[in-house]
Amino acid sequence: MSMSWAHVRFMLERARGLVRRGLASLRTRGLGPTWARVRRQFARRAPPASEPLYFPDAGAFQPFAVPASDAPRTSIVIPVYNQAAHTLACLRALAEHPPTAACEIIVVDDGSHDETHAWMPQIAGLRYHRRAVNGGFIAACNDGASRATGDCLVFLNNDTVPQPGWLDALLATFDAHPEVGLVGAQLIYPDGRLQEAGGVVFNDGSAWNYGRFDSPDDPRYASVRDADYCSGAAIAVRATLFEEVGGFDTRYAPAYYEDTDLAFALRALGHRVLYQPASRVVHLEGVTSGTDTGSGTKAYQVRNRSVFAEKWAAALATHPSADSLPSAGSVVQPQRQILIIDAETPRPQQDSASLRLANLMRLLNADGAHVVFLPADLRYAGDDTARLRQLGVEAWHAPFVQRPSAWLREHGHRFDVVMLSRHYVATEFLPLVRRFAPQARVVFDTVDLHFLREMRGAELAGDAALRHAAERTRERELSVIRASDTTLVVSPAERDMLSALLPGADVEVLANLHEVAHTGLPFGQRHDLVFVGGFRHPPNVDAVLWFGREVFPLIHVRQPDIRFHCIGTAPPADVLALQAQPGIMIHGHVADLGPYMDGARVAVAPLRFGAGVKGKVNLSMAHGQPVVATACAVEGMHLTSGHDVLVADDAAGFADAVLTLYRDEELWERLAAHGRANIEQHFSMEAAHGTVQRVFRR
């Protein structure tokens, strides 16, 4: 009964919030854009569309070729003992979907007496080695590794069907995480059920295939994660490290526990062992050795457990007991677990708030925390969700979350910190968090002070109704701040404002987070002006309309060759209409901003109202692109006009500043250098490290 009331209360607050925001949107955006937002809010939440599993044709043997290289980055070692048909299917899969990375494929025949010896020599590009006598899985793998020439070793069972992209995903993990020693694939049964999402080892040496028989798309198993071990059916390991630990330990011969032992040995050297869900491999499991641990080779699994437990007794002492099955919370212990809830999944390619949030999650992961993300809209966001998961974020969505109240009741006990972004999200979720995660520290991330932005917009429009709505937003926002343990703002100016309004509040500044990029093209090779900002944000609409109607015509008449590139998602009709003016180009969403950051000479930020720190200014400065802005656009950003930015608030002054900067190479170089220095000092990942530690480690 209590659970029902929690959900009802949550839904009532959500309904009130949607009505409030809908009315505010009608006043500021009009009917068309508001209706588009409503449709987007209530669109059907489609589950992720998993690619159907790929299986090669099972026709009679015919000679074919597999990928091969004289200078491979990776060596794929496939130990085989009979089961020629399965080996053939595995090799056909490698041939039909070759990896991008240069590779060699080594089949080590451990004394087969079926068609293996007849078929393998006919496969072009394959390195085939036939052992004189059967020595077992470990001996065959070590033999293959000794013949490999790649920097990375990949051990692949012959009873597998690697899915397209599997190897490139494994290798990309090493590129993204230099401290990693071993990466394991997601193993899937032929019927599509999950076989293993990394392994869990208990304190008695026994092990568990995490996720067995569940959906491979379940968020618990869909993110990059540290694992106790990964099954040797499909793992990648740095060749130098494999040699350093002496290969697979022969005390486990002929097979079983050698992969678990390897993971522990690499971790003892200071290297991570990661599970990579983007690398999918179908595994038939038990084709060669069966599944009966009472007889045959499989019996060594029982014997080797005690061998392993004795060797790694000290390390196992910190592992959990086998009394209960692993859960999403237990498999990442003893890491701090941090839940972040925002309105929707961040889209770093589209808006600065998303980039800030994604970079914050990167910082938290780098600091040793495990981050869980829940979008309030519960929508699966395709590539944006996938990108979070590759960062190591456990990203949830429908249909795996049906009701936030039920999800928090199940998972709330996991979290040390819960961060709620935006006041309307926090208003809905705070009661649930306090009830189901009472142990968690609650951090409220304002993103920017919404009431301040709304108040300035109302003043610019001279609209009493908008002013009244802004006052109501102010009360709601301040109420959330009072109910939270810590509040994050993006600028010292906003912190000082809150200190005056709520002297007892714990307020920290966490500004926009950027990585300083390369400098792009030199002054002489750059041309034109650029603006970047999503048009679901009313200040951006007003800024572009003012610039396009009042400022750019003054620029165009004095230098007609300058073009204005306007980039941002969902430009409304009046913004699109600006294209009728000579020199104005409205691009909408652009997947790759690089050419505009590196090639446009001057960025403009003509904002006439707003709040917080402006990501468009940060973005340009991080790329060494000087900015002309209004005072509102650079508020709280530690910038001085003439030193690292040019500031003007009237149309004529703004046009003069743009043309001066556009024509003066010495000024351009000076502002570019100082702008990059500003990012490094105030808006870089390094600059935020202290604040992140104070807020999320406290």
Side-chain angles (χ1 to χ4, degrees):
M1 184 68 180
S2 61
M3 187 58 199
S4 289
W5 171 240
H7 183 66
V8 168
R9 181 179 176 183
F10 171 80
M11 294 306 294
L12 286 173
E13 185 55 50
R14 170 163 285 189
R16 283 196 291 266
L18 288 172
V19 170
R20 284 195 299 264
R21 298 200 300 279
L23 292 174
S25 180
L26 277 172
R27 286 191 290 268
T28 58
R29 297 181 177 90
L31 180 60
T34 298
W35 176 240
R37 289 167 67 87
V38 169
R39 290 176 59 191
R40 184 166 173 264
Q41 176 71 36
F42 293 101
R44 182 176 178 271
R45 300 187 186 101
S50 290
E51 292 290 330
L53 294 178
Y54 153 80
F55 294 94
D57 292 336
F61 175 79
Q62 294 289 334
F64 61 98
V66 295
S69 172
D70 293 331
R73 177 185 177 186
T74 186
S75 301
I76 303 172
V77 177
I78 306 175
V80 306
Y81 177 63
N82 294 325
Q83 306 298 336
H86 291 298
T87 306
L88 182 61
C90 179
L91 293 174
R92 281 173 168 166
L94 295 173
E96 291 177 17
H97 295 282
T100 302
C103 68
E104 63 178 356
I105 301 174
I106 304 169
V107 166
V108 181
D109 183 351
D110 197 24
S112 300
H113 46 75
D114 61 358
E115 298 92 342
T116 299
H117 183 53
W119 291 350
M120 297 301 111
Q122 299 184 61
I123 299 176
L126 182 68
R127 292 185 59 191
Y128 173 62
H129 171 63
R130 181 172 174 84
R131 291 168 54 84
V133 294
N134 178 271
F137 180 84
I138 291 175
C141 286
N142 286 342
D143 196 346
S146 70
R147 299 169 187 278
T149 61
D151 295 330
C152 180
L153 292 172
V154 173
F155 294 100
L156 185 67
N157 279 15
N158 69 327
D159 58 348
T160 61
V161 179
Q163 300 299 290
W166 73 286
L167 181 58
D168 293 318
L170 286 181
L171 298 180
T173 314
F174 289 112
D175 298 333
H177 304 277
E179 73 282 10
V180 168
L182 182 149
V183 184
Q186 183 186 75
L187 301 181
I188 303 175
Y189 286 109
D191 64 3
R193 293 179 300 166
L194 181 62
Q195 183 180 121
E196 180 196 298
V200 176
V201 178
F202 301 110
N203 58 9
D204 62 356
S206 61
W208 181 263
N209 289 359
Y210 184 52
R212 192 178 182 91
F213 301 137
D214 285 343
S215 166
D217 300 315
D218 190 306
R220 292 173 293 177
Y221 319 120
S223 59
V224 172
R225 190 191 71 253
D226 286 274
D228 290 342
Y229 79 98
C230 294
S231 169
I235 57 172
V237 59
R238 298 184 191 275
T240 54
L241 294 179
F242 190 75
E243 182 179 1
E244 183 177 349
V245 300
F248 286 127
D249 194 333
T250 56
R251 77 182 71 188
Y252 301 104
Y256 294 106
Y257 270 89
E258 73 288 330
D259 45 9
T260 315
D261 178 90
L262 176 63
F264 273 61
L266 293 173
R267 199 158 33 242
L269 292 176
H271 301 281
R272 295 174 69 189
V273 174
L274 289 186
Y275 154 72
Q276 174 54 271
S279 175
R280 289 190 162 184
V281 174
V282 174
H283 183 213
L284 277 63
E285 192 182 40
V287 164
T288 302
S289 302
T291 57
D292 181 9
T293 58
S295 63
T297 304
K298 191 73 172 175
Y300 284 95
Q301 184 173 350
V302 177
R303 188 209 75 170
N304 286 348
R305 170 182 158 183
S306 61
V307 175
F308 172 81
E310 181 179 354
K311 178 180 178 181
W312 295 103
L316 290 172
T318 62
H319 284 239
S321 69
D323 296 338
S324 59
L325 294 181
S327 66
S330 70
V331 295
V332 296
Q333 289 178 347
Q335 291 175 282
R336 285 170 297 127
Q337 299 190 48
I338 298 172
L339 171 63
I340 296 177
I341 304 176
D342 200 355
E344 58 187 18
T345 300
R347 298 167 293 174
Q349 307 296 320
Q350 297 191 28
D351 65 86
S352 62
S354 290
L355 180 62
R356 172 177 173 269
L357 181 56
N359 281 338
L360 171 60
M361 289 190 267
R362 289 176 57 194
L363 273 176
L364 290 169
N365 277 343
D367 194 42
H370 177 75
V371 180
V372 179
F373 179 77
L374 179 69
D377 65 3
L378 302 184
R379 187 170 287 110
Y380 174 72
D383 289 344
D384 292 308
T385 299
R387 273 190 285 269
L388 282 186
R389 288 169 169 170
Q390 285 301 300
L391 292 178
V393 175
E394 185 185 316
W396 285 78
H397 53 79
F400 301 99
V401 183
Q402 293 294 335
R403 294 188 306 170
S405 54
W407 187 88
L408 277 165
R409 184 174 192 178
E410 178 183 355
H411 292 272
H413 67 278
R414 299 170 54 184
F415 302 114
D416 301 290
V417 181
V418 176
M419 189 182 94
L420 304 172
S421 290
R422 305 171 206 275
H423 73 89
Y424 50 89
V425 173
T427 299
E428 296 172 2
F429 278 89
L430 247 173
L432 293 178
V433 170
R434 289 301 191 192
R435 178 169 186 177
F436 298 122
Q439 77 293 338
R441 176 180 180 78
V442 175
V443 176
F444 168 45
D445 181 21
T446 61
V447 181
D448 62 25
L449 287 177
H450 287 52
F451 78 83
L452 181 60
R453 166 163 43 90
E454 291 178 11
M455 191 69 73
R456 289 171 171 174
E459 290 171 359
L460 184 66
D463 189 318
L466 288 178
R467 187 177 299 109
H468 183 60
E471 290 170 354
R472 291 199 303 270
T473 298
R474 177 180 180 272
E475 291 309 309
R476 285 191 293 271
E477 210 158 7
L478 295 181
S479 177
V480 172
I481 293 170
R482 293 188 193 98
S484 302
D485 298 311
T486 296
T487 295
L488 296 178
V489 294
V490 294
S491 75
E494 292 189 347
R495 179 192 57 199
D496 295 344
M497 177 181 293
L498 289 182
S499 295
L501 292 171
L502 298 172
D506 180 21
V507 182
E508 292 271 5
V509 176
L510 184 68
N512 288 345
L513 301 172
H514 291 267
E515 292 182 298
V516 178
H518 64 277
T519 56
L521 296 174
F523 175 88
Q525 296 179 35
R526 288 175 176 258
H527 306 280
D528 300 338
L529 315 177
V530 65
F531 171 92
V532 178
F535 289 103
R536 296 191 179 101
H537 191 52
N540 287 338
V541 177
D542 175 80
V544 169
L545 291 177
W546 177 69
F547 183 81
R549 291 168 178 171
E550 299 187 32
V551 180
F552 188 73
L554 301 178
I555 296 171
H556 181 73
V557 75
R558 292 161 65 183
Q559 189 159 340
D561 63 312
I562 294 179
R563 294 176 300 172
F564 171 49
H565 299 274
C566 180
I567 298 170
T569 301
D574 46 359
V575 169
L576 291 171
L578 293 174
Q579 294 183 105
Q581 296 178 218
I584 295 182
M585 305 177 70
I586 309 297
H587 297 282
H589 172 63
V590 171
D592 181 12
L593 289 174
Y596 297 94
M597 294 296 100
D598 298 339
R601 185 173 292 179
V602 174
V604 295
L607 296 165
R608 299 195 295 170
F609 71 97
V613 170
K614 311 306 182 294
K616 56 182 64 63
V617 176
N618 290 141
L619 179 67
S620 290
M621 289 184 172
H623 281 78
Q625 183 180 64
V627 179
V628 177
T630 57
C632 174
V634 298
E635 179 184 50
M637 296 184 69
H638 315 280
L639 297 169
T640 302
S641 185
H643 182 264
D644 28 33
V645 68
L646 293 185
V647 176
D649 286 317
D650 63 284
F654 205 101
D656 287 343
V658 168
L659 288 169
T660 297
L661 181 57
Y662 197 87
R663 295 166 176 171
D664 187 335
E665 183 173 359
E666 188 277 331
L667 174 64
W668 189 95
E669 294 282 2
R670 187 171 72 250
L671 295 190
H674 292 165
R676 286 170 63 85
N678 175 270
I679 297 298
E680 291 174 347
Q681 182 176 356
H682 299 290
F683 301 101
S684 65
M685 307 281 271
E686 293 76 12
H689 188 256
T691 301
V692 170
Q693 289 229 323
R694 282 197 307 275
V695 172
F696 293 95
R697 276 188 177 271
R698 193 179 310 175

